[in-house]
Amino acid sequence: MFAKVIVDISNTNVDKLFSYSVPENLKAAPGQRVLVPFGRGNKPIEGFIIELTEESGTSFQTKPIIKTLEPYTALLPDQLALAGWITKAYHCTRADALRCMIPAKLRGSRVREKTVRTLRISPELDPAETRASMLKKDGTAKAPKQLEVFDLLNSPEAEYSASDINAFILGATAAIAALVKKGVLVEANREYFRDPFTGHEADPTEPLPLLPEQKNALDAINGLEKGSVLLLHGVTGSGKTEVYMQAIAQVLESGGGAIVLVPEISLTPQTTDRFRGRFGDSVAVLHSHLSDGERFDEWRRIRLGKARVVVGARSAVFAPVEDLGLIVIDEEHEPSYLSEITPKYSAVEVAQRRAKLTGARLILGSATPSLTSYYRAKRGVYKLAEMPERINGVPMPHVDIVDMRREFLGGNNSIFSALLLEKLKNCFEKGEQAILFLNRRGYSSHAECKACGFVFTCPNCDVAMTYHKINSELRCHYCGASFDMPKKCPNCGSEFIKYSGIGTQQVEEQLYQAFPGIRVLRMDTDTTRGKTAHRDILDAFTAGEADVLVGTQMVAKGLDIPNVTLVGVVFADSTLFHTDYRSSERTFQLLTQVAGRAGRAEKEGCVVIQTNAPHHRAIELCTKHDYKSFFKLEIGDRMRTLFPPFSVFIRAMFVSENEQTAAESAGRYAEGITEKLFAVLEKDKAEKELVYVMPGAAPIRRREGEYRYAVIIKLARTVHTAGAIASVYEFSDTFNDDCFRGVEINPQEML
Ligand code: ADP
Ligand code: ZN
Ligand code: ZN
């Protein structure tokens, strides 16, 4: 027997199948991780068995596999197939694709199964008799410590580790040893799963009777063909999660498993508790705040079938769930479903592929679906179910727009409009809570000399530094550089510095000034660095320990706090005028999401959006909760300008310390790729007109000390785009240039 193995080295030179012989007594299967001798020195290297064959398929002498790394296959058959697809679709090595499927620390055995040595009373003894034998004639203990230990363990379930016993009974070590020696206690090795939920129970819940629209949605899910997709377009609070849970329950009943993806940021205890409350211990969670041990053990619980429902962030789409029946992607429009590292995959695309491979059904849920998804649903590529109403007739919050330019002309120079101040006051008087959202952390986004106009920019990047008042420092949000705020302008020596653009720190400070005695919590990347910081802030806010929560988009998602009746968007335009073709879509999504945090229960909610662009479509239609109109207008623009979904957008990056070098490389690439694409599309003259190749400086021209140039390739979506993409990859592989940083399809940020 022979095995075709991919070695776990991410290098294109070894990115192929190698044949090994399988020793007689070795149990090997596709998907199993193995140790194999590799290279001239026969160095042991980890690898994955892809298939077993009768023939070696090579004229060389094959070397034998050294050993298997786990007694089980780390990869399921569908995961092997998925990895193959990822390799092609995202142009990465097979090793990179396979690595997605396992916990990082499994490689190199950097994390291990944990067993604890436990102790219990020997099952061969009669407990009563044994206890009697431990007493003197007068009824007192012969050895008091030993008796104490015996009593602690004297029940059928009692099985504790020595350290647990020591925690109960001080200095019990000698007594334990003595009892083991006498044969009263026996030792056992118990497998132990590190539990990310320790000390945190979720209240059990029962399925709710569904409302008609939920019922329709569930029926639509049940009517889906295997491997196909349903877009569940439901406003915030329309009961999507309940629909997901009932769909999952059906899958579990028929013996299958399910994966639920939620954006990392909304993987709060609130979200996971809803699933744990319904499905108990069969829920596993996978997110970035787990320790390596916890992640490994959750992964193993899934692989070994102990957990059948996986709730996790982007990478949980790879979870080793057998008999996968359902994948749910909540808030499917979220950019966090796009991977920023190799392979740069989209979890939505991967889920679609995995559904096809396994026959699982895929639900994409959102209040504001990505334009691409909604477009597909409209065209019938996806099934569509809509839930336009909130549960129990809770009205959508009333949204007011405040034109901040008028506010300024009217003499209000503060960051809060009169309306927002009044609503905040009202809210606090009633003992209700508010959320203030601003998509920028720090104190202010620019520091500028009033005398000479000098702007404090990052020495490494082409961006203004953000002023953080708390430690009086300037910080670059792109490279992390920071230095103390100078007292004087480095250019002219003036002491008059103007701060403009607001950040969350300033909002917090101004709140204290406007409402003395108020309690404010702030949530942004500056305040959530610790492992539990995010959870702690949310817990405190939910428990009513603060009147206002101020934060960046972290506060926009997943929060469901009945006492929150007011949401203020301090400045809506901060995401609007980006160079990114998606900025309007993203602003609409973000605002809708933030607005959805208000008035989730009986108390009516209201929203105040402050802006300088009150008539921008993304803002105006958000106040009317009118996704459909927004979609119609926006998709029309995309069609006219040939942006996705009507084209594929590819970006090639060139980075160098020398600006000219980067620019020239980009130019060379642009020329070469144009020629190549035109050659590929030679047959079809019309198609050539649908290819655009544009070299130029990236919007942030210098970052971390290096100049950045890009070639943007836009390919209209036609029958030949797949071939065109393949030739872009092909050309890129052979484009020999030190500045070249590779190509990305539909990159998630254009900066
Ligand atoms: P979404 O996921 O669409 O934002 P949720 O699932 O969070 O909406 O539902 C909003 C609220 O309505 C939750 O508190 C949920 O418990 C409640 N809810 C959902 N479905 C029902 C139902 N059928 N009957 C009563 N309450 C429901
Ligand atoms: Zn100056
Ligand atoms: Zn910088």
Side-chain angles (χ1 to χ4, degrees):
M1 188 69 89
F2 297 90
K4 297 253 192 288
V5 171
I6 286 171
V7 288
D8 193 4
I9 303 172
S10 174
N11 185 317
T12 46
N13 293 330
V14 297
D15 188 21
K16 50 180 168 249
L17 292 163
F18 292 95
S19 283
Y20 285 90
S21 58
V22 181
E24 204 54 49
N25 52 355
L26 191 90
K27 261 185 63 204
Q32 200 139 24
R33 294 195 327 125
V34 287
L35 207 60
V36 292
F38 192 72
R40 276 208 209 110
N42 281 335
K43 197 170 157 250
I45 296 275
E46 293 182 358
F48 300 86
I49 298 183
I50 302 302
E51 57 176 332
L52 295 176
T53 53
E54 296 289 336
E55 309 279 325
S56 77
T58 162
S59 53
F60 293 106
Q61 177 72 34
T62 54
K63 300 174 223 171
I65 290 173
I66 300 169
K67 64 168 185 176
T68 51
L69 290 165
E70 286 92 20
Y72 49 88
T73 56
L75 301 177
L76 303 170
D78 83 274
Q79 291 181 300
L80 280 177
L82 190 65
W85 177 81
I86 285 171
T87 303
K88 287 209 188 69
Y90 302 109
H91 198 57
C92 63
T93 63
R94 291 168 227 235
D96 280 334
L98 290 163
R99 282 175 190 177
C100 295
M101 318 276 164
I102 56 170
K105 293 284 160 79
L106 190 64
R107 304 172 45 230
S109 305
R110 285 167 295 166
V111 61
R112 276 169 218 238
E113 279 134 52
K114 200 168 164 183
T115 52
V116 276
R117 285 185 82 71
T118 54
L119 293 155
R120 60 193 176 106
I121 293 172
S122 167
E124 279 154 31
L125 299 177
D126 177 72
E129 245 171 56
T130 312
R131 189 173 196 285
S133 76
M134 295 174 78
L135 301 177
K136 291 192 215 155
K137 288 223 174 65
D138 63 1
T140 59
K142 291 180 186 162
K145 266 274 142 69
Q146 289 183 25
L147 188 65
E148 228 182 308
V149 171
F150 182 87
D151 285 344
L152 181 71
L153 291 173
N154 191 6
S155 85
E157 311 85 60
E159 185 182 332
Y160 296 116
S161 70
S163 67
D164 283 349
I165 298 174
N166 267 299
F168 279 108
I169 303 165
L170 242 50
T173 311
I176 294 170
L179 287 169
V180 171
K181 204 164 164 210
K182 280 191 241 173
V184 175
L185 298 187
V186 291
E187 288 184 323
N189 270 332
R190 189 157 47 93
E191 191 180 24
Y192 172 84
F193 289 93
R194 281 152 285 207
D195 179 3
F197 304 114
T198 319
H200 186 84
E201 295 306 314
D203 296 330
T205 61
E206 291 295 320
L208 299 168
L210 294 183
L211 296 166
E213 273 163 350
Q214 289 176 310
K215 178 89 179 36
N216 285 343
L218 190 61
D219 288 346
I221 294 167
N222 288 329
L224 278 182
E225 268 170 52
K226 279 175 175 257
S228 65
V229 186
L230 175 104
L231 177 64
L232 179 54
H233 175 215
V235 296
T236 47
S238 59
K240 295 188 289 295
T241 310
E242 185 63 35
V243 173
Y244 303 153
M245 290 197 292
Q246 301 207 8
I248 293 167
Q250 293 176 348
V251 168
L252 291 181
E253 231 160 74
S254 60
I259 296 174
V260 182
L261 300 189
V262 300
E264 177 81 46
I265 216 151
S266 51
L267 258 176
T268 57
Q270 264 192 344
T271 312
T272 49
D273 282 0
R274 287 181 74 177
F275 290 92
R276 290 203 308 128
R278 190 66 57 89
F279 304 112
D281 283 344
S282 45
V283 175
V285 297
L286 292 172
H287 56 75
S288 66
H289 284 319
L290 299 182
S291 68
D292 292 329
E294 284 168 351
R295 180 176 338 213
F296 173 52
D297 285 357
E298 288 293 84
W299 178 83
R300 233 158 25 97
R301 284 207 310 130
I302 300 163
R303 178 63 192 90
L304 303 176
K306 292 177 196 297
R308 314 281 304 146
V309 180
V310 180
V311 181
R314 173 177 72 222
S315 61
V317 73
F318 300 113
V321 178
E322 250 174 312
D323 301 314
L324 191 60
L326 187 72
I327 308 175
V328 174
I329 303 187
D330 193 31
E331 316 278 17
E332 63 89 27
H333 61 276
E334 278 290 314
S336 68
Y337 288 126
L338 301 170
S339 166
E340 288 161 328
I341 52 167
T342 305
K344 294 190 171 175
Y345 64 90
S346 142
V348 176
E349 281 173 10
V350 172
Q352 226 169 315
R353 193 70 208 175
R354 197 156 183 210
K356 277 229 174 69
L357 287 167
T358 57
R361 294 166 173 98
L362 171 61
I363 309 176
L364 304 176
S366 177
T368 50
S370 74
L371 290 185
T372 302
S373 294
Y374 201 74
Y375 179 69
R376 286 196 184 147
K378 281 281 172 203
R379 301 238 334 229
V381 182
Y382 299 163
K383 288 267 177 310
L384 179 66
E386 310 214 54
M387 306 203 298
E389 308 279 335
R390 280 182 158 187
I391 293 287
N392 293 341
V394 177
M396 293 303 283
H398 178 77
V399 184
D400 282 309
I401 301 184
V402 180
D403 184 343
M404 290 306 274
R405 297 166 306 180
R406 286 192 176 199
E407 200 75 11
F408 177 74
L409 293 175
N412 179 4
N413 198 3
S414 128
I415 63 174
F416 300 128
S417 60
L419 182 73
L420 183 55
L421 279 175
E422 183 201 314
K423 298 235 165 171
L424 281 166
K425 182 161 167 276
N426 245 317
C427 174
F428 300 148
E429 277 171 5
K430 284 193 272 184
E432 296 170 354
Q433 291 170 293
I435 292 177
L436 289 187
F437 165 77
L438 177 65
N439 208 10
R440 196 186 279 133
R441 68 196 162 95
Y443 187 83
S444 57
S445 56
H446 284 80
E448 190 182 331
C449 171
K450 281 190 180 175
C452 75
F454 175 85
V455 177
F456 292 78
T457 49
C458 174
N460 314 315
C461 312
D462 251 8
V463 296
M465 295 191 88
T466 303
Y467 175 51
H468 286 242
K469 194 173 184 184
I470 288 182
N471 354 330
S472 181
E473 61 177 17
L474 289 166
R475 217 181 278 166
C476 172
H477 288 181
Y478 288 92
C479 72
S482 70
F483 49 85
D484 290 341
M485 181 70 209
K487 298 262 178 305
K488 289 177 182 160
C489 167
N491 187 41
C492 73
S494 158
E495 288 175 15
F496 298 99
I497 311 285
K498 178 175 98 184
Y499 299 101
S500 57
I502 34 174
T504 46
Q505 285 182 11
Q506 193 178 2
V507 174
E508 181 183 6
E509 186 186 286
Q510 304 267 319
L511 270 172
Y512 285 128
Q513 279 174 18
F515 302 98
I518 204 178
R519 299 163 305 163
V520 182
L521 279 170
R522 180 161 58 86
M523 187 157 79
D524 52 34
T525 32
D526 294 323
T527 62
T528 51
R529 292 192 202 277
K531 187 181 163 194
T532 62
H534 189 242
R535 174 192 273 214
D536 292 345
I537 293 174
L538 290 180
D539 282 352
F541 190 59
T542 310
E545 288 166 27
D547 308 293
V548 198
L549 177 65
V550 177
T552 52
Q553 68 252 53
M554 286 182 197
V555 302
K557 324 249 154 81
L559 280 180
D560 191 356
I561 302 171
N563 199 36
V564 172
T565 54
L566 173 64
V567 167
V569 178
V570 181
F571 193 55
D573 314 9
S574 54
T575 51
L576 207 48
F577 299 106
H578 272 185
T579 45
D580 196 314
Y581 65 93
R582 285 158 298 200
S583 58
S584 172
E585 177 182 2
R586 291 218 170 128
T587 301
F588 182 83
Q589 287 163 342
L590 201 54
L591 291 179
T592 305
Q593 202 124 44
V594 192
R597 301 303 117 211
R600 306 261 297 176
E602 306 85 54
K603 297 174 196 160
E604 206 172 316
C606 64
V607 180
V608 177
I609 297 179
Q610 306 190 139
T611 174
N612 283 345
H615 299 300
H616 193 288
R617 153 200 313 164
I619 291 174
E620 210 164 37
L621 292 172
C622 165
T623 66
K624 300 192 180 113
H625 311 286
D626 189 356
Y627 175 83
K628 286 185 186 170
S629 300
F630 179 77
F631 170 80
K632 244 184 235 145
L633 293 169
E634 199 69 22
I635 204 82
D637 279 359
R638 295 271 181 100
M639 193 185 286
R640 271 188 297 282
T641 52
L642 265 190
F643 275 103
F646 303 99
S647 66
V648 177
F649 214 75
I650 304 174
R651 184 178 67 165
M653 277 302 284
F654 303 84
V655 176
S656 168
E657 280 174 14
N658 182 310
E659 178 161 18
Q660 187 152 3
T661 310
E664 278 171 8
S665 298
R668 252 189 341 109
Y669 183 95
E671 248 170 64
I673 195 65
T674 309
E675 205 174 298
K676 170 112 188 175
L677 283 171
F678 276 30
V680 171
L681 301 172
E682 186 55 40
K683 308 159 242 92
D684 190 344
K685 289 262 183 304
E687 285 216 322
K688 281 197 212 168
E689 288 168 22
L690 299 175
V691 174
Y692 301 81
V693 178
M694 297 161 278
I700 295 180
R701 198 179 46 127
R702 202 164 65 99
R703 199 153 155 176
E704 298 183 56
E706 296 186 304
Y707 289 90
R708 308 161 71 245
Y709 275 71
V711 175
I712 303 283
I713 305 163
K714 217 156 72 169
L715 302 167
R717 267 221 185 267
T718 63
V719 275
H720 294 306
T721 37
I725 292 170
S727 51
V728 171
Y729 280 145
E730 207 174 283
F731 177 78
S732 302
D733 280 347
T734 55
F735 189 74
N736 239 330
D737 191 309
D738 286 344
C739 322
F740 183 42
R741 294 287 180 277
V743 289
E744 231 180 305
I745 297 202
N746 294 337
Q748 78 158 309
E749 67 145 318
M750 303 298 293
L751 297 176

